[in-house]
Every structure is written in C-alpha cells, then in structure tokens.
Amino acid sequence: RLRKSRAMAEEAQGGDQAMAEAASAQPEAVPNPGAEEELEIEVEVGAHGSQEGADGSAQPGGGADEEAAQSKAKADDAGKPEASAAAAPPPQAVSPHEPAQPAPEPSQEPSREPTAPKTDLPAKDAGVTAAQAENVLAALQGGSGGGGAGAVAVKVEKQEAPKESSSSVESSAPKVEEWIAPSVPLPSLSQYSARAKEAHTRIEKYKYDIEAWKTLVGEVQAGGPMKHLFVEVFERLLQVFPTSGRHWLLYAQGYIGDGKKKEALEVLRRALPMCPQVDLWRTYLSHFISQHSDTELIRKEYDKAVDAIGHDIASNGVWKDYIDFLRGIKVANQYEKGQRMHQLRLAYHRCLQVPMHQVDRVWGEYEGWERSLDPNNPQQADQLIRETEPKHKAARAAYKDRKKMRDAIQTGLFPGPYSGDSKEKAAVRGWKELIAFERSNPQKTAPDDLRKRVEFTYQQCLSYLPLYPEIWFDCSEWHAEMGDVGGELRTLERGVQMLPASLLLHLALADKLELRGKIPQAKQVYEGMCERHPSPLLFIHYMRFARRAESVA
C-alpha cells in the first residue's frame, strides 16, 4: 500500500506539472468580475479525515474504499493534461496530495475551520469562474476518494454579482413635496387674466405665496371676466388654508351673490369643524334659520353653536341671540312653558360663567327674568340668584385678564406662513399665555367645564396658527394628561395633515400608536414619512421601532 501511494503521488505531481505548462502557454485572460458569477470554494477536511504525514505519505483511511478511490484517481489523472489544455483559461488545479500541515497531537482536537485552497494565481486572478470551479471540483473529488471517513468535503457557494455604486444609480427617494393640485377641476388658465396667470405660476412654485393668493381672490371678486371662477379659486385656496374663517365667509358670500343660498350654507357647514370662530358661526346660524322653520331643529343648532364657540370672549352676541330665541318660543300648555323656562335658566347659567363682553348686562337681565317668573314668591328667585352670583363674579374677574391677553393677539389675513418676525412671535407668545391662563382655572370651575374651556382655546389657537407643530404637540399632550386618548390621537392626526413634513408630529403619532398596541398603524406612519420626507433621524427611529415591535435584530 505504501508503494502504491507513493506511485500515485508521483503520477499526480507529473500531471500537475503538465497542466501548469499548458496554462503558461495560453494568454492570460483579463478577469471581468461583472461578466460571470464568482464562486467561492472552501475545502473542509473532516475531523476524522485522512491526514498526510510529514513525509508526504497518506495515512490509511479504510480498506476497499481506499483501493477504489485509488483506481478512480488513476483514471482521472490520465485525462487531466488533455482536458486542461483545451480550457481557456485553464483552472489552477489543487491537488489533494500536496503536503499538508502536520497532524495534531492525539490530545488535541483537529481544527474544523475551513481552509482556503492553495493557488499560484496572482492576487488579481484569485476569483475563480464557474467553469474553473467545476474542473477543480472534479479533480478534488477524483483524487480524494469517494466517501468514508477520509473524504475531503468541498463546499461551493455562489456569490452575488457586484452591485453598482450608489453614485451611479439615480436616487429613487421622492423629492420634497411641492404644491399639489387639490381635488377640484384643474385651473382654467385659458380664462385667467395676465395677472392671474402670473399669480398661478408663483403659487405652483410656493403654495404659501400670500401676495399671489391675494391677486387671485381679487380677480374673482372684481366682477370681471374671472367672476365665474370664484368656486375654483376658493377651493384651491382653502385646500392650502383650511382654517381661514375669513375666506370661508368670502366663499359663501360668492354663492349668496349668485342667489345660491343652499350652496352657501353647505360651504359654511364645511368650515365649522375647522374654524371655531364667532363670525363664522353667527353667519351660519343666520342662513340656517332663514331656510328652516322647525323650532326644535333651530334650537339644536344653537346648542351646537354655544358648545363650539360659547367660551369665546366675543360670544356675547351668539348667547344673546340664543336667549332671545328661547324666550320667543311659543308654548301651547303648562308643560311646554316649564320646558322653555328650564332651557332658559340653563342658558343663562352657562352664559353667566363665560368671561365675555357685556357679561354685566346679561347678569342684570337674568335677575329681572328670575324675579318675573313668580312675583308672589321672591324668596325662590333670590335663592337662585345667590347660587349663581359667585360664578358670575368669578367670570367678571377673569374677564379683565382675559380681555387684556386677547387684545394683545393680532391675527393676520391668512393663517400662515410664518417668517418669524416680531409680530408673529408676539402672536405665538400671546396664545401660549392665554392657554396657560385658561389651564390655571382662574374661575375654579368644575373639571368638565375647565376641560371644555381649555380645549376650545387650543382649537381656536390652532385655527389661527395651524403651521406651528409645537402647538399641535402641546395640545395632544394636554389631552393625554386629561386621559382623553381619542382626543390625543385626533390632534396628532390633524397635525400631520396640516404639516406633512413635520418630523416631530409624525414621531409623536407613531409613538402614541405603538404605546396603545396599534403596531400596523404606527408602521404605516413610519413608512409613509420615510417615502415622502426621508431623513437619517427618521430611519434611526424606524429601525428602533422595528426592533421593539417586530423583534428585528
């Protein structure tokens, strides 16, 4: 066996020399990593595989299997030179009979680390093509025997083709969101005047161009050739400034001028949820009452109005109209009279707790009304007046501070954009002071009344300053303090609609959704923001969210 092994080794070495000579005769091929897939060849020697001694002789690995492997190796070696000469470029053979490292001591465990095959190719040719790998694999399998404890394991792994550099590929990230046409008919540019066309071009470049919007609105209000386009212009404007109560009123007046009162009423109804402003509500109630005669239906609309803007310092006109309406309701029997008296008392009590203009006049009116109900029982009237008087005094005291703060706030023609000048900073500071004042509960009202008053102040502030993300965030945090989870999420959702590029509001919304177990919704917020306005900080938060929520390591 020893003589046979040495003879086989000599034959293999002779074959290797012939292959090397044939390879040197062929021109060297320039490697092209991108043309073919590269394969990585790892030769692993099993822990119980055959080890070659220091003198080059192979240790016995097992009986009949070894003899069969030797005969197969002879047949393969005989055809190697001819086959290798036909290949271009020929593979560098890796002989399994090369001298190996000395076998480890019996007490030491053989290393299981994969060893790279030896090769004489230069460093630039270290990559092996698929054809070369097949030839090397056949040579290794042919010379190592088939199976048994002494077999040499060969592992071929496919590597991915080299990817193009990021600099050569055009970025697929979306650009910064520009002005997007609202869900209204496209601008009728052919009917625009020259000034209107210029304004339209400026708005396409920057949707918050106030002067351009003023030009468009002026063109449709001037009664010229663009008068019939007022719907198109105002719909576009209110897509950009949905909390501008002044322009909602102008839009409705355009319909009224054409005799379309129902359309005007619908425009005002659309504006009410976004604009808790007294002028808008009074105009809406006026047109609603003119188109309806049902007393109960009108009363419900007044209830909605005082719920929405009844805490405003200028809401005295709405309260007066409401009380006058209730006092003017005709009753047919004693039961209806009692119902009307109960509704009037509730309206007076609510009204007298509001720090608003002319609150003292309402107080005098209330005293006279209570005493007129039952002249024969003045004690009952006095008792009701004494119970209500402390609340009225607290409202009157708070009115002075409230009026001073409210007068210091100056609102612009448009609710944004903001350049950060002193006037705008003063308005932001004034609203924050008014909110803090209301939250301090100067009137010592019940928790439910306090919550309504503070919420109204926040909503009114956001109707005038909708492009300040910190106010949206503060409002959502206040809802969280009150335990109002629904209000907290609704505020953040409205905030991201108004400010689609605000990282603060998007991260806050995603965090709140995650805390409440709404993982799919939170993921949607992250992915939507990553598509529209990607940034390194956003991706960092998204990866942390994925690790927490989806156990992504």
Side-chain angles (χ1 to χ4, degrees):
R1 288 182 180 179
L2 183 60
R3 286 195 298 271
K4 289 182 179 180
S5 298
R6 290 178 176 175
M8 290 176 58
E10 292 176 356
E11 292 177 0
Q13 292 177 359
D16 292 342
Q17 293 176 358
M19 292 173 61
E21 293 175 357
S24 61
Q26 296 292 335
E28 184 178 2
V30 179
N32 186 3
E36 297 180 8
E37 294 182 338
E38 294 186 0
L39 301 177
E40 177 182 339
I41 302 176
E42 298 180 358
V43 182
E44 299 179 355
V45 180
H48 304 286
S50 63
Q51 300 288 339
E52 294 182 357
D55 56 353
S57 62
Q59 299 296 330
D65 292 339
E66 185 180 13
E67 293 179 0
Q70 292 172 357
S71 60
K72 184 177 180 181
K74 289 180 179 180
D76 292 337
D77 291 337
K80 276 182 182 180
E82 181 180 355
S84 61
Q92 180 68 33
V94 181
S95 175
H97 302 287
E98 292 179 1
Q101 298 295 330
E105 295 297 331
S107 60
Q108 298 178 353
E109 183 179 356
S111 173
R112 297 178 183 269
E113 295 293 332
T115 58
K118 296 182 179 180
T119 176
D120 296 328
L121 293 175
K124 65 178 181 179
D125 295 333
V128 185
T129 64
Q132 293 173 332
E134 291 178 359
N135 293 336
V136 175
L137 181 60
L140 288 174
Q141 290 178 345
S144 61
V152 179
V154 180
K155 182 179 180 182
V156 180
E157 295 183 355
K158 183 181 294 186
Q159 290 185 345
E160 297 181 358
K163 298 182 179 179
E164 298 182 7
S165 175
S166 59
S167 60
S168 62
V169 181
E170 184 178 357
S171 176
S172 60
K175 298 179 180 179
V176 178
E177 181 177 315
E178 299 293 337
W179 182 83
I180 300 176
S183 56
V184 294
L186 293 176
S188 306
L189 296 180
S190 60
Q191 304 177 45
Y192 275 27
S193 64
R195 295 180 67 242
K197 288 181 180 179
E198 182 183 356
H200 170 75
T201 303
R202 292 170 57 185
I203 291 170
E204 282 188 322
K205 296 179 180 178
Y206 180 57
K207 67 179 181 179
Y208 295 118
D209 192 327
I210 300 300
E211 296 302 322
W213 282 116
K214 288 180 180 179
T215 300
L216 276 181
V217 173
E219 289 292 308
V220 297
Q221 287 183 323
M226 288 186 60
K227 180 181 178 181
H228 65 288
L229 299 177
F230 81 94
V231 174
E232 173 187 309
V233 171
F234 276 104
E235 285 289 345
R236 291 176 58 198
L237 185 148
L238 292 170
Q239 286 284 333
V240 180
F241 302 103
T243 63
S244 180
R246 180 182 290 104
H247 292 95
W248 281 107
L249 284 174
L250 293 175
Y251 187 12
Q253 289 172 4
Y255 274 121
I256 295 171
D258 292 344
K260 300 179 180 179
K261 295 184 178 180
K262 290 185 179 180
E263 289 81 356
L265 188 65
E266 182 60 30
V267 167
L268 294 171
R269 185 180 286 112
R270 288 170 54 194
L272 297 179
M274 295 175 286
C275 306
Q277 299 172 16
V278 175
D279 293 341
L280 198 63
W281 269 99
R282 292 197 71 178
T283 305
Y284 168 75
L285 290 172
S286 175
H287 289 284
F288 185 87
I289 293 171
S290 66
Q291 299 179 34
H292 297 82
S293 58
D294 188 342
T295 302
E296 183 62 20
L297 192 60
I298 295 174
R299 186 189 65 81
K300 289 181 179 179
E301 292 301 312
Y302 268 117
D303 285 338
K304 292 179 183 178
V306 295
D307 287 341
I309 48 92
H311 294 286
D312 195 285
I313 195 172
S315 63
N316 54 300
V318 176
W319 281 110
K320 182 181 183 302
D321 294 343
Y322 184 28
I323 292 172
D324 291 343
F325 167 76
L326 292 176
R327 298 184 71 166
I329 295 177
K330 296 181 179 180
V331 295
N333 50 51
Q334 194 67 23
Y335 173 76
E336 292 181 357
K337 183 179 179 180
Q339 288 293 105
R340 185 188 65 177
M341 182 182 67
H342 176 68
Q343 293 170 358
L344 259 173
R345 183 174 285 116
L346 287 178
Y348 271 121
H349 286 180
R350 290 182 61 187
C351 174
L352 291 170
Q353 297 181 54
V354 178
M356 63 182 183
H357 303 317
Q358 302 180 356
V359 67
D360 289 333
R361 185 193 63 79
V362 179
W363 172 253
E365 182 181 318
Y366 168 67
E367 285 184 308
W369 177 77
E370 281 285 6
R371 290 191 170 93
S372 66
L373 293 177
D374 190 359
N376 298 324
N377 189 9
Q379 292 81 5
Q380 182 179 1
D382 292 339
Q383 181 180 357
L384 292 172
I385 291 172
R386 284 195 300 269
E387 291 175 356
T388 310
E389 189 174 12
K391 297 179 181 179
H392 164 63
K393 289 182 177 181
R396 186 173 57 184
Y399 168 73
K400 296 179 180 179
D401 295 331
R402 196 182 202 191
K403 183 178 183 300
K404 182 180 179 180
M405 294 179 183
R406 193 65 181 84
D407 291 343
I409 299 173
Q410 298 182 8
T411 58
L413 182 62
F414 285 82
Y418 312 114
S419 59
D421 59 17
S422 58
K423 181 180 177 180
E424 293 167 1
K425 291 180 179 179
V428 174
R429 184 168 57 252
W431 278 111
K432 290 183 177 181
E433 290 177 357
L434 181 59
I435 291 171
F437 173 76
E438 298 293 358
R439 292 183 64 171
S440 66
N441 195 10
Q443 298 174 236
K444 309 302 179 185
T445 57
D448 187 57
D449 292 335
L450 174 63
R451 182 186 62 79
K452 292 179 180 179
R453 189 184 303 278
V454 174
E455 183 175 6
F456 164 75
T457 308
Y458 266 119
Q459 297 305 322
Q460 192 174 49
C461 170
L462 289 170
S463 70
Y464 290 106
L465 303 175
L467 303 183
Y468 274 90
E470 64 268 26
I471 300 179
W472 288 101
F473 181 77
D474 290 343
C475 182
S476 69
E477 291 296 297
W478 172 79
H479 278 288
E481 293 177 10
M482 296 293 104
D484 184 6
V485 177
E488 178 186 19
L489 294 178
R490 284 193 302 271
T491 300
L492 290 173
E493 289 170 355
R494 286 186 57 200
V496 298
Q497 290 176 0
M498 288 298 304
L499 297 163
S502 173
L503 183 61
L504 168 66
L505 297 180
H506 280 83
L507 293 179
L509 177 58
D511 185 58
K512 301 300 181 183
L513 291 171
E514 181 186 357
L515 289 176
R516 283 151 184 79
K518 300 181 179 181
I519 304 301
Q521 294 89 328
K523 183 178 180 181
Q524 186 177 3
V525 172
Y526 277 114
E527 292 180 347
M529 189 63 173
C530 288
E531 292 177 1
R532 295 188 299 270
H533 304 283
S535 68
L537 182 59
L538 176 62
F539 283 112
I540 290 173
H541 282 276
Y542 186 25
M543 288 188 290
R544 291 178 177 176
F545 162 78
R547 290 174 178 175
R548 294 191 304 268
E550 300 180 356
S551 300
V552 176

